[in-house]
Amino acid sequence: MKTIKPLREKKNTAILLIHCPDRQGILATVTEFLNKNHGNIIYLDQHVDRQESIFYMRVEWELDNFAIPSDKIGEYFDTLIARSLQMNWRIYLPDDIPRMALFVSKMPHCLFDILGRYTAGEWDVELPLIISNHETLRPVAERFGIDFHYFPIDAENKAEQEKNEIELLKKYKIDFLVLARYMQILSPDIINQFPNKIINIHHSFLPAFAGAKPYHAAHQRGVKIIGATSHYVTSELDAGPIIEQDVTRCSHIDTVEKLIRKGRDLEKIVLSQAVYKHLQRKILVYKNRTVVFN
Amino acid sequence: MKTIKPLREKKNTAILLIHCPDRQGILATVTEFLNKNHGNIIYLDQHVDRQESIFYMRVEWELDNFAIPSDKIGEYFDTLIARSLQMNWRIYLPDDIPRMALFVSKMPHCLFDILGRYTAGEWDVELPLIISNHETLRPVAERFGIDFHYFPIDAENKAEQEKNEIELLKKYKIDFLVLARYMQILSPDIINQFPNKIINIHHSFLPAFAGAKPYHAAHQRGVKIIGATSHYVTSELDAGPIIEQDVTRCSHIDTVEKLIRKGRDLEKIVLSQAVYKHLQRKILVYKNRTVVFN
Amino acid sequence: MKTIKPLREKKNTAILLIHCPDRQGILATVTEFLNKNHGNIIYLDQHVDRQESIFYMRVEWELDNFAIPSDKIGEYFDTLIARSLQMNWRIYLPDDIPRMALFVSKMPHCLFDILGRYTAGEWDVELPLIISNHETLRPVAERFGIDFHYFPIDAENKAEQEKNEIELLKKYKIDFLVLARYMQILSPDIINQFPNKIINIHHSFLPAFAGAKPYHAAHQRGVKIIGATSHYVTSELDAGPIIEQDVTRCSHIDTVEKLIRKGRDLEKIVLSQAVYKHLQRKILVYKNRTVVFN
Amino acid sequence: MKTIKPLREKKNTAILLIHCPDRQGILATVTEFLNKNHGNIIYLDQHVDRQESIFYMRVEWELDNFAIPSDKIGEYFDTLIARSLQMNWRIYLPDDIPRMALFVSKMPHCLFDILGRYTAGEWDVELPLIISNHETLRPVAERFGIDFHYFPIDAENKAEQEKNEIELLKKYKIDFLVLARYMQILSPDIINQFPNKIINIHHSFLPAFAGAKPYHAAHQRGVKIIGATSHYVTSELDAGPIIEQDVTRCSHIDTVEKLIRKGRDLEKIVLSQAVYKHLQRKILVYKNRTVVFN
């Protein structure tokens, strides 16, 4: 079903993400390297965390007249620049289309939102695989023509099932996971395989109401605003680096059921915005916090 | 595909919408009428526009022990109460499931959002018909199992094609229309058949940037916030009663293309929220403005 | 300095606030009582908490032709209606101008905001007294012509000083307190004297980041939105009934200092909005949650 | 009264604002110039408008070890860099404290907000002069110890009075003007003297509801959101480059009076945020649009 829209014109650009200890001249050094080799910069954003003394940068440039062949850019950059500046860096080339797996349970709203965007061609991504601990959403996956695998999970079979899931993720060459209201806690075995590559949506304005039943807790506390938070999954529950948050107003007239309904719209938009930022390579993580470039 | 979720438990309630000239005692009169006949009120909201001296009310009550048979409520209410108070009123019973038709063109985001909600069972509505002036979105309609009719429109065939559309809307017993980024202006022939029953989404914060290409106009003017507006369609373009609006921030870094992308998320949520309010019978229209109850 | 604006025309109305166990017919009973006695209702809002089965109501009516003398309304209402319905109620008459005391420390932004509104005549309130544990803001109080009393507080003198404060509050006939970034925790001795009559502003989106240094904690956690919360003070720190909350976006570029600066604008607006709702008698409290009418 | 807070520690930094035709290497050239001369960059943001092909940049660096004397930086930068790159540039040094004049009429809310911030030391600015076409707010100016000049204006004396105002602005060495709900339209004589140096607040979400009585127009149109817009004044009414906008929700229950009350909080915050951005030298204007750096 990925055919309703002609593919967007492919941009022939490279993206470089950097973080390293801050010092004078890094920006000049990197931009000179690109300019000298005829790389026309079309996006540049940088940030210095002066408290931690860390320099962050994202730069995107056109490859058309770039003097260094694409498959050599990494080697040259590492040799000439990155090593001496102790850079933590990564280059993304036009052919690196990331492969995403969705994990879902019974609630369909985030799944529909992602499938709609995927089908409409909003994102540069492959979506070959949906994994679930329930059969509920299989018909949705099938209608959109995406493989659906069912792994029922209980206390006894969890380790075994996650091993099967990891195997499947490898088979499908999955680059990153999106937990689209997946109602199971992943164990460190999976999390450690995908550092800063598992995006979750939590249905509260974290750090308020971490854990189970946040809308019930929000109602109980009588808050006047509810929220949703997308974050990378770490081994500590709902405590990973926050990517995006949004909120909406509520009042005394909102029952728990109404909060859940209102929250669904927040959840799906906040999750999809986080996935989009991830796909654009605009997120850097350092010490459990994100730099998210515009 | 409307089967992924068990149907919600049907509420056996009646909804009464009223507006009439304001005077003392209307509220007491209506609530007494319901109480006396054992109608347990589960929702009541009212509003008085003191400038226009108009009283508005929405009340919902349980039918289980209500003394008046459902098919007689209208008659009794009209005779005993409405006439002497010059009320403009309407009663909705549990079996009145409205039938909605979607009008679309090429952009799929609002269509996907509505189909996702419909399939998930978020709304009490039937959606038997999608009409379009392009073939682009036919595959989407087909995957969701909904009839899709193609009416190409040009200056010459417009009157004829709209006549065909009206006929089709009658055949499908359609109660209200949703223009989900339909890029044609409806003529008064259709509009007059569905007063306050055609919901449009305009991709700007009306009344700013009415008409064509609002994101280009917003970019040109250098605004720092963009918006979307859902409204009932009237014969004056983008000037009908506003149902819902929302906005998001933008800045100098946003090109027209980025505004369009950001705007899509606004458009689909604002349109779906308006449809939901309409389905809940929470909207009253008077003198080109809406009362939208909570 | 309270003279820059002519006083608003006095409204000759009474306000009745009610909460009681829910049952059929309360609304009809109350509105009938007012109608029968020629009380023209100009505002009515009600809410039923169906989970707790509690009915809440605020009604405001004109006293001009009201059959019951103002000083007898309470007695009549209690005898004829409130007792049999087990109502918790309160009537406010036009001459009940509440008297407010401000508690401040060193930060002036909330103080300036309140003094500006007070001087401009935005609020129906008397503000005869400012109490502080520092001398810093005395010049501000003096310029606005408001009595300023300094009570330095340390671990040893706290009980004694609060006793002096309570005495002063009595002498000034203070009805309610506003803690305008007062950096001391009140002891139960004061709190119990003013149940649901002490309004605090906490500089976070509660329940996230309760307690000290919330902006530091928010920065540390890497949130993408910060907030402020106004609430009634109870004996549990930052856990009282929430009146109003608001938020603003932040990002990786915001240092703690920038969060503090952004937060100031939130704090002063959220606090002043809570005070305004309180002055309008639009807040009811039940089981540590508020009903805040529009 | 400007004494309640100890002065902030003075930052010994220079700020450079640039816009020029875009071409490869500008960023590298400028950062090299600063690095080579031992200017430690503490802030850098840049933007390229690819449609217009214009490069924008704001850079701030420490002067402590900078090799070029402060009073020569402009000359050196112009000679070595700016001329060949056709740069439109401006340098701000630590001693350049801008001098602001306020224009007010009768409404005090924006005035109080600015005076509160000024007195609290939030801004690096001098505020020696308030001009008004009414006497209403003279007592406020006097309490804050700021010169207040009254220029009543009618159709006949307008040209003459503005001449007097311009003279006074010169005498007070005023750098920029803030129209804090000043209810007179300035003539081109004043506007041309202060290009991109007159900040106005308009009480609507421009371009919707330009001109007089925007809250009445918003109410009439039945919008669900109202806004406020700060912009630089140009000779076309309410059409100058937008600096900042913000909005708040409204509904059918809001009368014009309630919209005006809600709007006041928006107006004062949006205006003060624009003034703050201006004082931070974070705004560049090109073709009637602003680049506002973070």
Side-chain angles (χ1 to χ4, degrees):
Chain A
M1 201 179 169
K2 206 193 170 181
T3 53
I4 64 165
K5 205 178 168 179
L7 284 177
R8 283 159 302 162
E9 204 187 335
K10 195 87 194 173
K11 280 198 296 181
N12 189 30
T13 61
I15 294 166
L16 175 63
L17 282 182
I18 297 167
H19 66 92
C20 63
D22 188 33
R23 45 187 282 187
Q24 279 201 18
I26 302 175
L27 189 61
T29 304
V30 175
T31 54
E32 256 197 299
F33 168 77
L34 297 177
N35 285 326
K36 230 167 30 192
N37 292 296
H38 312 298
N40 188 33
I41 294 173
I42 61 162
Y43 174 100
L44 184 149
D45 207 350
Q46 48 83 45
H47 168 64
V48 180
D49 181 336
R50 295 185 197 285
Q51 197 182 343
E52 304 279 352
S53 201
I54 301 291
F55 174 90
Y56 302 86
M57 181 175 181
R58 181 188 187 278
V59 60
E60 185 170 357
W61 70 97
E62 293 173 348
L63 290 171
D64 285 342
N65 301 309
F66 198 51
I68 306 169
S70 291
D71 61 344
K72 295 284 184 190
I73 298 173
E75 183 195 320
Y76 278 48
F77 181 73
D78 194 50
T79 306
L80 300 173
I81 302 205
R83 273 183 222 167
S84 62
L85 294 167
Q86 298 163 265
M87 281 178 176
N88 190 319
W89 62 275
R90 179 124 189 221
I91 281 174
Y92 299 94
L93 295 170
D95 291 339
D96 301 339
I97 308 295
R99 293 171 66 80
M100 167 171 73
L102 296 185
F103 279 62
V104 299
S105 291
K106 292 179 172 176
M107 274 170 291
H109 54 289
C110 290
L111 174 61
F112 272 123
D113 196 70
I114 291 170
L115 291 174
R117 292 172 197 267
Y118 176 67
T119 308
E122 280 191 30
W123 293 345
D124 263 328
V125 71
E126 295 300 326
L127 170 42
L129 174 63
I130 298 175
I131 283 175
S132 182
N133 59 334
H134 293 278
E135 287 281 18
T136 317
L137 299 176
R138 182 186 290 275
V140 179
E142 286 175 350
R143 291 296 172 104
F144 282 80
I146 296 171
D147 291 0
F148 181 94
H149 289 259
Y150 169 50
F151 292 92
I153 285 180
D154 57 33
E156 277 172 36
N157 74 358
K158 182 160 184 168
E160 178 66 19
Q161 290 290 60
E162 289 203 340
K163 230 179 95 185
N164 295 335
E165 287 171 357
I166 291 173
E167 216 163 282
L168 199 66
L169 294 169
K170 277 182 188 155
K171 191 183 137 200
Y172 276 85
K173 298 193 172 70
I174 294 302
D175 295 302
F176 74 106
L177 318 184
V178 173
L179 311 186
R181 296 302 313 275
Y182 181 62
M183 304 305 277
Q184 279 284 327
I185 296 172
L186 298 183
S187 70
D189 289 345
I190 290 192
I191 294 171
N192 294 336
Q193 302 255 348
F194 293 93
N196 297 327
K197 289 185 172 175
I198 307 175
I199 300 173
N200 185 41
I201 181 72
H202 183 73
H203 40 315
S204 85
F205 183 71
L206 287 175
F209 311 124
K213 292 199 175 285
Y215 292 122
H216 290 76
H219 185 262
Q220 180 62 29
R221 181 64 188 89
V223 295
K224 301 301 184 189
I225 288 175
I226 55 167
T229 304
S230 56
H231 62 95
Y232 288 121
V233 174
T234 59
S235 55
E236 191 182 341
L237 182 65
D238 297 332
I242 292 171
I243 302 169
E244 177 65 298
Q245 303 188 287
D246 204 0
V247 297
T248 196
R249 296 203 165 268
C250 59
S251 80
H252 60 272
I253 70 165
D254 291 306
T255 58
V256 172
E257 289 67 37
K258 280 186 195 164
L259 295 182
I260 290 171
R261 189 187 63 71
K262 279 188 175 182
R264 278 198 299 256
D265 285 2
L266 281 180
E267 294 162 22
K268 72 185 191 188
I269 298 293
V270 169
L271 177 58
S272 288
Q273 284 175 345
V275 172
Y276 183 62
K277 285 289 186 184
H278 183 89
L279 290 172
Q280 288 183 295
R281 330 291 196 177
K282 290 210 166 167
I283 312 175
L284 282 159
V285 177
Y286 183 74
K287 286 200 174 176
N288 209 48
R289 284 186 293 188
T290 58
V291 167
V292 182
F293 287 118
N294 279 316
Chain B
M1 202 178 167
K2 205 194 172 182
T3 54
I4 63 164
K5 204 180 170 178
L7 285 176
R8 282 158 303 162
E9 202 187 337
K10 194 89 194 170
K11 280 198 295 181
N12 191 29
T13 60
I15 294 167
L16 175 62
L17 283 182
I18 296 168
H19 66 92
C20 62
D22 188 33
R23 43 189 282 187
Q24 278 201 19
I26 303 174
L27 189 60
T29 303
V30 174
T31 55
E32 256 196 301
F33 168 77
L34 298 177
N35 285 326
K36 230 168 30 192
N37 292 297
H38 313 295
N40 188 33
I41 294 172
I42 62 163
Y43 175 101
L44 184 149
D45 207 349
Q46 49 80 46
H47 168 65
V48 180
D49 181 335
R50 293 183 199 287
Q51 197 182 341
E52 304 279 350
S53 201
I54 301 290
F55 175 89
Y56 302 86
M57 182 176 183
R58 182 188 186 278
V59 60
E60 185 170 357
W61 71 96
E62 293 172 348
L63 289 171
D64 286 342
N65 300 307
F66 197 52
I68 306 169
S70 290
D71 61 344
K72 295 284 183 187
I73 299 174
E75 183 195 320
Y76 279 48
F77 182 74
D78 193 50
T79 305
L80 299 174
I81 302 204
R83 273 184 222 167
S84 62
L85 293 167
Q86 299 162 264
M87 282 178 174
N88 190 319
W89 62 274
R90 180 124 187 221
I91 281 175
Y92 300 94
L93 296 169
D95 291 339
D96 300 340
I97 308 295
R99 294 170 65 81
M100 166 171 75
L102 296 185
F103 280 62
V104 299
S105 290
K106 292 179 172 176
M107 274 169 290
H109 55 288
C110 290
L111 174 62
F112 272 123
D113 197 69
I114 289 170
L115 291 174
R117 292 171 196 266
Y118 176 67
T119 308
E122 279 192 30
W123 292 345
D124 264 329
V125 71
E126 295 299 327
L127 170 42
L129 174 64
I130 298 175
I131 285 175
S132 183
N133 58 334
H134 293 278
E135 286 281 17
T136 317
L137 299 176
R138 181 185 291 276
V140 180
E142 285 175 350
R143 293 295 172 105
F144 282 81
I146 296 171
D147 291 1
F148 181 94
H149 289 259
Y150 169 50
F151 293 92
I153 286 180
D154 56 33
E156 277 172 34
N157 73 359
K158 183 159 185 168
E160 179 66 20
Q161 289 291 60
E162 290 202 342
K163 228 179 99 185
N164 295 335
E165 288 171 357
I166 291 174
E167 216 163 283
L168 199 66
L169 294 169
K170 278 183 188 154
K171 190 184 136 201
Y172 276 86
K173 296 193 173 69
I174 294 303
D175 293 303
F176 74 106
L177 318 185
V178 173
L179 312 187
R181 296 300 314 274
Y182 180 62
M183 304 306 277
Q184 279 284 328
I185 295 171
L186 297 183
S187 69
D189 289 345
I190 291 192
I191 295 172
N192 293 337
Q193 302 255 346
F194 294 92
N196 296 326
K197 290 186 170 172
I198 306 175
I199 301 174
N200 185 42
I201 181 72
H202 183 73
H203 40 315
S204 86
F205 183 72
L206 288 175
F209 310 124
K213 294 200 174 282
Y215 292 121
H216 290 76
H219 185 262
Q220 179 62 29
R221 181 63 187 90
V223 294
K224 301 302 184 187
I225 288 176
I226 54 167
T229 305
S230 56
H231 62 94
Y232 287 121
V233 173
T234 58
S235 54
E236 191 182 342
L237 182 65
D238 297 331
I242 292 170
I243 302 169
E244 178 65 298
Q245 301 188 288
D246 204 0
V247 298
T248 196
R249 294 202 167 270
C250 59
S251 79
H252 60 272
I253 70 167
D254 291 306
T255 57
V256 171
E257 289 66 37
K258 281 186 194 163
L259 295 182
I260 290 171
R261 191 188 61 72
K262 279 188 175 183
R264 280 199 297 256
D265 285 2
L266 281 181
E267 294 162 22
K268 72 186 191 188
I269 298 294
V270 169
L271 177 58
S272 288
Q273 284 175 344
V275 172
Y276 183 62
K277 285 289 186 184
H278 183 89
L279 290 172
Q280 288 182 297
R281 329 291 196 175
K282 290 207 166 169
I283 312 175
L284 281 159
V285 176
Y286 183 76
K287 283 198 175 176
N288 209 47
R289 285 186 293 189
T290 59
V291 167
V292 182
F293 287 118
N294 278 316
Chain C
M1 201 178 168
K2 206 193 171 181
T3 54
I4 64 165
K5 205 179 170 179
L7 285 177
R8 283 159 304 163
E9 204 187 334
K10 196 89 192 169
K11 277 198 298 180
N12 190 30
T13 61
I15 294 166
L16 175 61
L17 283 182
I18 297 167
H19 65 92
C20 62
D22 187 33
R23 44 187 282 187
Q24 280 200 17
I26 302 175
L27 189 60
T29 304
V30 175
T31 53
E32 254 196 302
F33 168 76
L34 297 178
N35 285 326
K36 230 167 33 193
N37 293 296
H38 313 297
N40 188 34
I41 294 172
I42 61 162
Y43 175 99
L44 184 149
D45 208 349
Q46 49 82 46
H47 168 65
V48 180
D49 180 335
R50 295 184 197 286
Q51 197 182 342
E52 303 280 351
S53 201
I54 301 291
F55 175 89
Y56 302 87
M57 182 174 180
R58 183 188 185 276
V59 60
E60 186 171 356
W61 70 97
E62 292 173 348
L63 290 171
D64 286 341
N65 300 307
F66 197 51
I68 306 169
S70 290
D71 62 344
K72 295 286 183 186
I73 299 173
E75 184 195 319
Y76 279 48
F77 182 73
D78 194 51
T79 307
L80 299 174
I81 302 204
R83 272 184 223 166
S84 62
L85 293 167
Q86 297 162 265
M87 280 178 175
N88 190 318
W89 62 274
R90 179 124 188 222
I91 282 175
Y92 299 94
L93 295 170
D95 291 338
D96 301 340
I97 308 294
R99 293 171 66 81
M100 165 170 76
L102 297 185
F103 280 61
V104 300
S105 291
K106 292 178 172 176
M107 274 169 291
H109 54 289
C110 290
L111 175 61
F112 272 122
D113 197 69
I114 290 170
L115 291 174
R117 292 171 197 267
Y118 176 67
T119 308
E122 280 192 30
W123 292 345
D124 263 328
V125 72
E126 294 300 326
L127 169 42
L129 175 63
I130 298 175
I131 284 175
S132 183
N133 58 335
H134 293 279
E135 286 281 17
T136 316
L137 299 176
R138 181 186 291 276
V140 180
E142 286 175 351
R143 291 295 171 106
F144 282 81
I146 296 170
D147 291 1
F148 181 93
H149 289 259
Y150 169 49
F151 292 93
I153 286 180
D154 57 34
E156 277 171 36
N157 73 0
K158 182 159 183 169
E160 179 65 19
Q161 289 291 58
E162 289 202 340
K163 229 180 95 186
N164 296 334
E165 288 171 356
I166 291 174
E167 217 163 282
L168 198 66
L169 294 170
K170 278 181 188 155
K171 191 184 135 198
Y172 277 86
K173 297 194 172 71
I174 295 301
D175 294 303
F176 74 106
L177 318 184
V178 173
L179 312 186
R181 295 301 312 275
Y182 181 62
M183 304 305 277
Q184 279 285 326
I185 295 172
L186 298 183
S187 70
D189 290 344
I190 291 192
I191 294 171
N192 294 336
Q193 302 255 349
F194 294 92
N196 297 327
K197 290 186 171 174
I198 307 175
I199 301 173
N200 185 41
I201 181 71
H202 183 74
H203 39 313
S204 86
F205 183 73
L206 288 175
F209 311 124
K213 292 200 175 281
Y215 292 121
H216 291 77
H219 185 261
Q220 180 60 29
R221 181 63 187 91
V223 294
K224 301 302 185 189
I225 288 175
I226 55 167
T229 305
S230 57
H231 63 95
Y232 287 121
V233 173
T234 59
S235 53
E236 192 181 342
L237 182 65
D238 298 332
I242 292 171
I243 302 169
E244 178 63 300
Q245 303 188 288
D246 204 1
V247 297
T248 196
R249 296 203 165 268
C250 58
S251 79
H252 60 272
I253 70 166
D254 291 306
T255 58
V256 172
E257 290 66 37
K258 280 187 195 164
L259 295 182
I260 289 171
R261 191 186 63 71
K262 279 188 175 184
R264 278 198 298 256
D265 285 1
L266 282 180
E267 294 162 21
K268 72 185 191 188
I269 298 292
V270 169
L271 178 58
S272 288
Q273 284 175 344
V275 172
Y276 183 62
K277 285 289 186 184
H278 183 88
L279 290 172
Q280 289 183 295
R281 330 290 197 178
K282 289 209 166 167
I283 312 175
L284 281 159
V285 176
Y286 182 75
K287 285 198 173 177
N288 209 47
R289 284 185 295 189
T290 59
V291 167
V292 182
F293 287 119
N294 279 316
Chain D
M1 201 179 170
K2 206 193 172 184
T3 54
I4 64 165
K5 204 180 172 179
L7 285 176
R8 283 159 303 162
E9 203 187 336
K10 197 88 195 172
K11 280 197 295 180
N12 190 29
T13 60
I15 294 167
L16 175 61
L17 283 181
I18 297 167
H19 65 93
C20 62
D22 188 33
R23 45 189 280 186
Q24 278 200 20
I26 302 175
L27 189 60
T29 303
V30 175
T31 56
E32 256 196 301
F33 168 76
L34 297 177
N35 285 326
K36 229 168 28 194
N37 293 296
H38 314 297
N40 188 33
I41 293 172
I42 62 163
Y43 175 100
L44 184 149
D45 208 349
Q46 49 81 46
H47 168 66
V48 180
D49 180 335
R50 294 185 197 286
Q51 197 181 341
E52 304 279 350
S53 201
I54 301 291
F55 175 88
Y56 302 88
M57 181 175 184
R58 182 189 185 277
V59 61
E60 185 171 357
W61 70 97
E62 293 173 347
L63 290 171
D64 286 341
N65 301 308
F66 198 52
I68 306 168
S70 290
D71 61 345
K72 295 284 182 188
I73 299 174
E75 183 196 320
Y76 279 49
F77 181 74
D78 194 50
T79 306
L80 300 174
I81 303 205
R83 271 184 223 167
S84 62
L85 293 166
Q86 298 163 265
M87 282 178 173
N88 189 318
W89 62 273
R90 179 122 189 222
I91 282 174
Y92 299 94
L93 296 169
D95 291 338
D96 301 340
I97 308 294
R99 295 171 65 81
M100 164 170 77
L102 296 185
F103 280 62
V104 299
S105 292
K106 292 179 171 176
M107 276 170 290
H109 54 289
C110 290
L111 174 61
F112 272 122
D113 197 69
I114 290 170
L115 291 174
R117 293 172 196 267
Y118 176 66
T119 308
E122 279 192 31
W123 291 345
D124 263 329
V125 72
E126 295 300 327
L127 170 43
L129 174 64
I130 298 175
I131 283 175
S132 183
N133 58 333
H134 293 278
E135 286 281 18
T136 317
L137 298 176
R138 181 185 290 277
V140 179
E142 285 175 353
R143 293 293 173 106
F144 281 82
I146 296 170
D147 291 1
F148 181 94
H149 289 259
Y150 169 51
F151 292 92
I153 286 181
D154 56 34
E156 277 172 36
N157 73 359
K158 183 160 184 168
E160 179 64 19
Q161 289 291 58
E162 290 202 342
K163 228 179 97 185
N164 296 334
E165 288 171 356
I166 290 173
E167 215 162 286
L168 198 65
L169 294 169
K170 278 182 189 157
K171 190 183 137 201
Y172 276 85
K173 297 193 173 69
I174 294 302
D175 294 303
F176 74 107
L177 318 185
V178 173
L179 312 187
R181 295 301 312 275
Y182 180 63
M183 304 305 276
Q184 278 284 329
I185 295 172
L186 297 183
S187 69
D189 289 343
I190 291 193
I191 294 171
N192 294 337
Q193 301 257 346
F194 294 93
N196 296 328
K197 290 187 171 173
I198 306 175
I199 301 174
N200 184 43
I201 180 71
H202 183 74
H203 40 313
S204 85
F205 182 73
L206 287 175
F209 311 123
K213 293 198 174 284
Y215 292 121
H216 290 77
H219 185 261
Q220 180 61 29
R221 180 65 187 89
V223 294
K224 300 303 184 187
I225 288 176
I226 53 168
T229 304
S230 56
H231 63 96
Y232 287 121
V233 173
T234 59
S235 54
E236 192 183 342
L237 181 65
D238 297 332
I242 292 171
I243 303 169
E244 178 63 298
Q245 302 188 288
D246 203 359
V247 297
T248 195
R249 295 203 166 270
C250 59
S251 79
H252 60 272
I253 69 166
D254 290 306
T255 57
V256 171
E257 290 66 35
K258 281 186 195 163
L259 295 182
I260 289 171
R261 190 188 62 73
K262 280 188 174 183
R264 279 197 299 256
D265 284 3
L266 282 180
E267 294 162 23
K268 73 186 191 188
I269 297 294
V270 169
L271 177 59
S272 287
Q273 284 175 345
V275 172
Y276 184 61
K277 285 289 185 184
H278 183 89
L279 290 172
Q280 288 182 296
R281 329 292 195 176
K282 290 208 165 167
I283 312 175
L284 281 160
V285 176
Y286 183 76
K287 284 199 175 177
N288 209 47
R289 285 185 294 188
T290 59
V291 167
V292 182
F293 287 118
N294 279 316

